[in-house]
């Protein structure tokens, strides 16, 4: 896109995938991706731009034609053999390296883009030296730091680009060549060069430290719930320290996605392999706390429902591992739903982007903690097309993904408008209302307006809400309606004004708080 003079060919052995990339229905969905692919792949006659992005399943000939090759294959956690459940499986990196070595007749630069264990470049070196003697294949490390949902934004405006290499003349020339490619849109001051091993390790280290921050704030959420502290206030107080910063401090039901757990466990395995058990233990705790958080959330919901879920319906709002994606890999929803099912609950799921088949497949693949048959998952989990249907007759509504769609801001404004006109008619003040950004979400907050009158509900209901319809949800849930906000998405004050009971992550439970006052 930014280097129209460079011909880029994406190769894959899977012809169907390549065909999808050539079509109008791209196999990956990311905001902004379509337009970039269209411009580079199809060209832009009006702007005088010729196509420079191609897709092919003819791997060998495209390797031979290339001057620079990115290896961007996946490195999942090993499922069998030594290091199973922990070590990163570099089988695809190894086979890509063999393909490159076997197909190469001319010198090339080979770039590790995949997240790999520190030391992987030496595996590549050995393969190249044995299978392609006499051909100069320089190895660089250039890890990817973009996040799902913001991938294009991250790519166009990266915090940094990291280039790792050996320090011989040939490797340094290779780094300069790759630096020139990035310099087409990234300021050179943001392009960092390091040695090969630092660069490989930096990607793992970055993901581990991001995951560690989430486990840290989640560990504080447990302390907050037990003490009366408020985790949002805590995160704000911590995050304003410029040494700490305010990112990745959102308390949650636990981190998910294909990277954090995999990369932390990969680091754990590396530390164990290096005979550093204390270091391995330290990082393993990041994953342990994440698993604990998911169990803790499920236990808190069960407790709130009097320790019995037999025949009770629980609505789950959000199944994706984070907002703005349909990706469900390692989503916290899996473990939480399976624990609720083990208590014999009936589950209804609503997620604006995740299909019913994906929900079932995801749950069935990881049903270990639940002792039922797969068919029981299918019969006890219903996937709904809208939030109100999912919440009908639910004893609890549980928010597991931070979709903006679930926010209560529209309800707040509608309620505020209604209240203003009612109080204006009565000539009274509108004091004690909640604020859309209120951080005073304490369970003992009694400043809520009274539950809206039927007239008010009807007026609010008639409005077209682009957010989910919390007013209708408040009507259809089983009383007393409980909302458990595992993502800090809703203004609990607003929901309480609709007559709902609200429990939040990192804030003491309404029952505990009332008992202790
Ligand atoms: C992560 C990293 O953020 C990227 O820098 C990295 O390139 C990428 O992994 C990768 O290795 O490919 P990603 O997994 O797409 O990106 O998503 P994040 O936005 O980091 O979120 C990960 C999980 O943490 C999500 O479940 C999210 O909901 C959760 N999270 C995030 C929190 O619970 N609290 C927060 O404050 C932030």
């Amino acid at each position: 896109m930014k280097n129209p003079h460079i011909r880029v060919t994406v190769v894959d052995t899977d012809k169907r995938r390549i065909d999808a990339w050539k079509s109008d229905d791209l196999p990956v969905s990311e905001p902004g991706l379509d337009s970039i692919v269209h411009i580079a792949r199809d060209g832009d006659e009006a702007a005088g731009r010729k196509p420079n992005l191609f897709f092919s399943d003819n791997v060998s000939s495209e390797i031979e034609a290339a001057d620079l090759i990115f290896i961007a294959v996946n490195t999942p956690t090993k499922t069998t053999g030594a290091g199973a459940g922990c070590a990163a499986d570099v089988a695809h990196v190894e086979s890509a390296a063999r393909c490159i070595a076997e197909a190469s007749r001319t010198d090339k630069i080979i770039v590790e883009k995949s997240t790999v264990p520190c030391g992987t470049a030496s595996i590549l070196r050995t393969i190249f030296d044995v299978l392609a003697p006499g051909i100069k294949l320089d190895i660089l490390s250039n890890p990817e730091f973009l996040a799902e949902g913001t991938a294009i934004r991250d790519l166009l405006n990266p915090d940094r680009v990291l280039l790792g290499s050996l320090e011989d003349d040939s490797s340094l020339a290779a780094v300069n060549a790759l630096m020139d490619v990035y310099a087409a849109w990234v300021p050179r001051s943001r392009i960092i060069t390091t040695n090969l091993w630092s660069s490989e390790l930096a990607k793992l280290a970055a993901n581990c430290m991001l995951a560690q921050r989430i486990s840290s704030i989640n560990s504080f959420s447990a302390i907050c719930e037990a003490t009366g502290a408020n985790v949002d206030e805590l995160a704000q107080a911590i995050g304003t320290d410029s040494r700490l910063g305010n990112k990745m401090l959102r308390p949650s039901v636990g981190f998910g996605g294909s990277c954090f757990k995999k990369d932390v466990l990969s680091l754990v395995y590396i530390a164990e392999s290096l005979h550093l058990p204390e270091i391995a233990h330290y990082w393993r705790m990041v994953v342990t706390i994440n698993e604990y958080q998911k169990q803790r959330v499920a236990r808190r919901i069960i407790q709130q429902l009097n320790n019995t879920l037999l025949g009770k319906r629980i609505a789950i709002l959000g199944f994706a591992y984070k907002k703005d994606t349909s990706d469900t890999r390692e989503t916290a929803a899996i473990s939480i739903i399976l624990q609720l099912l083990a208590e014999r609950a009936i589950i209804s799921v609503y997620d604006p982007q995740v299909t019913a088949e994906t929900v079932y497949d995801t749950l069935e693949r990881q049903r270990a903690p639940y002792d039922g048959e797969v068919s029981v998952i299918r019969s006890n989990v219903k996937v709904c097309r809208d939030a109100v249907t999912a919440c009908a007759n639910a004893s609890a509504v549980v928010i597991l993904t931070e979709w903006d769609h679930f926010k209560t801001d529209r309800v707040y404004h509608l309620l505020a408008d209604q209240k203003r006109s009612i109080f204006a008619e009565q000539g009274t003040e509108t004091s004690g209302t909640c604020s859309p950004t209120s951080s005073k979400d304490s369970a003992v907050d009694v400043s809520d307006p009274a539950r809206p009158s039927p007239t008010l509900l009807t007026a609010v209901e008639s409005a077209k809400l682009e957010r989910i319809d919390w007013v209708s949800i408040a009507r259809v849930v089983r009383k007393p309606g409980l909302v458990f906000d595992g993502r800090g998405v809703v203004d609990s004050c607003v929901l309480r004004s609709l007559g709902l009971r609200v429990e939040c992550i990192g804030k003491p439970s309404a029952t505990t708080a009332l008992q202790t006052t």
Side-chain angles (χ1 to χ4, degrees):
M1 170 74 181
K2 297 288 185 181
N3 285 282
H5 59 288
I6 298 179
R7 180 188 169 97
V8 176
T9 308
V10 178
V11 296
D12 198 305
T13 48
D14 183 344
K15 185 172 181 322
R16 274 181 318 166
R17 215 169 163 71
I18 289 298
D19 287 344
W21 278 109
K22 290 178 179 172
S23 75
D24 282 336
D25 191 14
L26 302 184
V28 171
S29 155
E30 270 294 328
L33 177 68
D34 282 31
S35 63
I36 287 189
V37 169
H38 282 306
I39 292 170
R41 185 190 68 182
D42 307 332
D44 182 351
E45 247 184 63
R49 180 180 176 128
K50 295 212 168 69
N52 70 322
L53 173 62
F54 303 89
F55 295 90
S56 170
D57 61 346
N58 196 342
V59 178
S60 301
S61 64
E62 292 299 340
I63 285 175
E64 174 40 17
D67 298 309
L68 186 149
I69 299 172
F70 288 100
I71 300 180
V73 293
N74 65 340
T75 51
T77 302
K78 277 184 84 174
T79 51
T80 54
C86 211
D89 190 343
V90 292
H92 298 305
V93 176
E94 192 187 304
S95 69
R98 292 184 80 89
C99 276
I100 292 169
E102 283 161 2
S104 294
R105 302 283 172 269
T106 53
D107 298 347
K108 300 179 196 307
I109 300 169
I110 312 301
V111 186
E112 291 173 342
K113 198 48 143 162
S114 307
T115 301
V116 290
C118 187
T120 301
S122 59
I123 300 177
L124 301 190
R125 185 74 281 147
T126 308
I127 293 172
F128 294 157
D129 288 348
V130 171
L131 297 184
I135 296 171
K136 189 156 69 76
L137 297 173
D138 286 310
I139 302 168
L140 302 181
S141 161
N142 171 216
E144 190 52 74
F145 294 107
L146 50 82
E148 268 186 48
T150 54
I152 301 300
R153 199 179 70 199
D154 299 343
L155 200 61
L156 294 178
N157 187 24
D159 286 344
R160 78 306 208 185
V161 168
L162 182 56
L163 303 179
S165 72
L166 295 177
E167 278 162 29
D168 57 282
D169 289 348
S170 178
S171 300
L172 294 176
V175 164
N176 284 332
L178 185 52
M179 196 184 287
D180 287 343
V181 174
Y182 281 107
W185 78 97
V186 180
R188 284 191 188 260
S189 57
R190 284 201 223 157
I191 304 177
I192 301 170
T193 55
T194 66
N195 82 33
L196 205 43
W197 321 117
S198 307
S199 174
E200 285 182 340
L201 187 57
K203 168 65 202 238
L204 276 187
N207 270 4
C208 289
M209 293 193 70
L210 293 171
Q212 180 205 45
R213 269 172 84 91
I214 300 169
S215 279
S216 298
I217 196 72
N218 283 343
S219 76
F220 282 116
S221 74
I223 296 178
C224 288
E225 286 165 30
T227 58
N230 176 325
V231 76
D232 291 341
E233 293 176 351
L234 193 72
Q236 191 190 9
I238 296 167
T240 44
D241 184 327
S242 59
R243 294 168 302 173
L244 290 167
N246 61 6
K247 305 252 173 76
M248 304 304 270
L249 279 182
R250 264 185 295 112
S252 66
V253 286
F255 59 74
S258 61
C259 303
F260 280 176
K261 183 174 169 190
K262 169 178 87 74
D263 290 348
V264 174
L265 291 177
S266 172
L267 184 69
V268 167
Y269 185 75
I270 291 170
E272 280 169 353
S273 310
L274 295 171
H275 307 291
L276 300 168
E278 288 81 2
I279 310 293
H281 176 72
Y282 173 78
W283 285 106
R284 190 181 283 282
M285 285 308 290
V286 170
V287 172
T288 304
I289 292 290
N290 198 49
E291 298 304 318
Y292 170 72
Q293 183 76 345
K294 296 184 254 180
Q295 284 168 18
R296 214 172 65 70
V297 165
R299 275 206 305 273
R300 194 166 154 202
I301 296 163
I302 295 163
Q303 268 165 16
Q304 286 296 322
L305 295 174
N306 307 321
N307 287 319
T308 173
L309 299 191
L310 184 64
K312 288 183 184 164
R313 182 174 293 278
I314 312 244
I316 302 291
L317 297 187
F319 193 87
Y321 82 97
K322 67 174 189 179
K323 72 173 182 177
D324 299 334
T325 178
S326 58
D327 195 336
T328 63
R329 285 174 292 175
E330 295 293 337
T331 173
I334 302 168
S335 148
I336 293 170
I337 290 177
L338 292 177
Q339 286 176 79
L340 300 177
L341 280 176
E343 297 282 333
R344 304 284 178 251
I346 312 287
I347 306 289
S348 19
V349 177
Y350 167 67
D351 186 292
Q353 284 218 355
V354 180
T355 64
E357 259 334 285
T358 305
V359 170
Y360 292 128
D361 285 353
T362 309
L363 289 174
E364 284 166 4
R365 261 185 280 119
Q366 296 188 37
R367 66 184 191 282
Y370 179 53
D371 60 1
E373 296 296 320
V374 170
S375 62
V376 180
I377 290 182
R378 294 243 166 196
S379 57
N380 287 357
V381 178
K382 193 174 135 205
V383 182
C384 303
R385 283 168 178 271
D386 67 89
V388 178
T389 309
C391 295
N393 210 22
S395 297
V397 176
V398 180
I399 301 173
L400 294 184
T401 311
E402 73 279 25
W403 288 103
D404 290 345
H405 187 47
F406 299 157
K407 285 184 175 168
T408 45
D409 46 359
R410 281 298 304 272
V411 184
Y412 164 77
H413 290 297
L414 288 163
L415 286 175
D417 287 350
Q418 289 294 322
K419 274 197 73 188
R420 259 194 300 277
S421 59
I422 288 168
F423 284 119
E425 275 167 29
Q426 295 171 348
T428 49
E429 290 291 314
T430 58
S431 60
T433 52
C434 19
S435 128
T437 52
S438 168
S439 63
K440 305 235 175 302
D441 253 345
S442 148
V444 287
D445 183 352
V446 289
S447 63
D448 294 354
R451 190 176 172 173
S453 68
T455 330
L456 182 58
L457 279 178
T458 311
V460 173
E461 242 179 344
S462 65
K464 292 258 176 274
L465 297 176
E466 80 184 43
R467 305 294 196 207
I468 60 170
D469 183 356
W470 279 107
V471 175
S472 295
I473 290 174
R475 283 191 157 177
V476 299
V477 293
R478 193 174 180 198
K479 307 293 178 296
L482 169 70
V483 175
F484 183 88
D485 183 3
R487 290 291 197 158
V489 173
V490 297
D491 185 330
S492 47
C493 188
V494 166
L495 291 189
R496 285 187 194 124
S497 76
L498 295 176
L500 294 164
R501 193 155 61 91
V502 186
E503 295 287 327
C504 302
I505 200 90
K507 292 164 198 173
S509 114
T511 6
T512 323
L514 288 173
Q515 278 162 7
T516 53
T517 47

